[in-house]
Amino acid sequence: MSGNVQLLNDTLAAAKSEGRAALIAYLPAGFPTVTGGIEAVKAALDGGADVVEVGLPHSDPVLDGPVIQTADDIALRGGVRIADVMRTVREAHEATGKPILVMTYWNPIDRYGVERFTAELAGAGGAGCILPDLPVQESALWREHADKHGLATVFVVAPSSKDARLAEITAAGSGFVYAASLMGVTGTRESVGAQAEDLVRRTRATTDTPVCVGLGVSNAAQAAEVARFADGVIVGSAFVKRMLDAPDDAAGLEGVRALAADLAKGVRGQA
């Protein structure tokens, strides 16, 4: 079965044709439970997200700040497995018809098996993977199997990336380029900063692939700011925080849905 890279490409192109950035939400699988995590992904999509990244919880998430680490810890203590991540992708995609990616560090895929992982992700209707710690020069095996199964390979670029390195990364990736807005870990911040705009400009000079900005966006005003210069706005910690701060699961889901609706206005310049 082929994955949904084309659906991802079409979704990003449709947002561009509407004169706006796409809204990409991140939520970890298995948080607060596997079923609760699926409902959270669906709530983000129902609220207005165009795409969702489902996080594969990891005990040492080098890119993720304390909010997502807390959610990952809850998911891991709950016994979440890769099969639960695939279930999350499958059920969220079947319920919404929207593109779902997995964001994961390399070690779990390496241990699980690249062929097995890509085949199962495609079978679940997944659109691809974001791989923040897989070096491009070591990615040939992954990309071979991802391409075979119709999955996007999304790499992360940072403000420290030199122009030659950007060209190398964007030539190897597909779907979109994840531009980290600053050096550091995920989390909400007061401002996203000028570094992000410069990084998008430099990245676009190397590729026609959409460039989406993550790290630090938490409200509609920030989403509107980033949407001025990026093809997509990625929001993670703010969604997870709504769930962590909620008095119960139902309130958490409503918080996710409301934040997605607010951010969707932001990427449309209606904030």
Side-chain angles (χ1 to χ4, degrees):
M1 182 173 176
S2 184
N4 274 311
V5 63
Q6 192 58 51
L7 175 63
L8 175 63
N9 294 339
D10 291 346
T11 299
L12 295 171
K16 184 175 183 179
S17 74
E18 293 171 15
R20 66 174 179 89
L23 173 60
I24 303 174
Y26 167 95
L27 287 157
F31 168 72
T33 61
V34 175
T35 300
I38 293 167
E39 291 306 311
V41 172
K42 285 156 56 174
L45 291 165
D46 290 343
D50 299 290
V51 180
V52 166
E53 305 170 4
V54 171
L56 195 161
H58 195 275
S59 57
D60 185 27
V62 294
L63 185 70
D64 298 310
V67 171
I68 290 173
Q69 285 188 29
T70 298
D72 277 5
D73 186 55
I74 291 168
L76 290 167
R77 283 192 281 113
V80 71
R81 295 289 182 266
I82 287 178
D84 300 313
V85 177
M86 299 300 179
R87 178 189 159 198
T88 301
V89 171
R90 177 181 293 104
E91 294 190 17
H93 173 64
E94 287 178 351
T96 65
K98 293 187 177 181
I100 316 288
L101 299 101
V102 169
M103 184 165 185
T104 179
Y105 298 97
W106 180 245
N107 182 256
I109 295 178
D110 194 38
R111 293 189 62 182
Y112 198 73
V114 175
E115 168 60 24
R116 181 184 177 195
F117 190 94
T118 52
E120 290 184 8
L121 182 55
C129 248
I130 298 148
L131 301 161
D133 66 341
L134 177 63
V136 168
Q137 61 269 29
E138 297 174 22
S139 67
L141 178 66
W142 163 267
R143 286 187 285 128
E144 175 191 338
H145 288 288
D147 289 348
K148 181 172 81 172
H149 289 291
L151 298 169
T153 297
V154 179
F155 290 115
V156 178
V157 298
S160 60
S161 302
K162 304 298 185 191
D163 291 351
R165 179 68 175 158
L166 288 176
E168 184 182 5
I169 292 170
T170 59
S174 57
F176 62 90
V177 182
Y178 187 126
S181 66
L182 57 141
M183 302 302 294
V185 297
T186 59
T188 61
R189 290 176 172 80
E190 290 301 313
S191 65
V192 179
Q195 278 187 316
E197 187 166 3
D198 180 63
L199 177 58
V200 170
R201 179 188 58 76
R202 293 194 299 117
T203 305
R204 277 199 178 132
T206 71
T207 183
D208 292 328
T209 303
V211 183
C212 304
V213 171
L215 274 66
V217 178
S218 62
N219 58 50
Q222 290 174 333
E225 176 193 350
V226 173
R228 282 192 305 100
F229 58 81
D231 298 297
V233 179
I234 302 168
V235 181
S237 294
F239 281 111
V240 176
K241 195 168 188 305
R242 290 286 178 108
M243 304 266 297
L244 285 170
D245 291 349
D248 55 52
D249 290 353
L253 293 177
E254 189 47 48
V256 166
R257 192 176 289 107
L259 178 59
D262 198 37
L263 293 165
K265 290 180 182 175
V267 299
R268 288 167 172 81
Q270 299 165 1

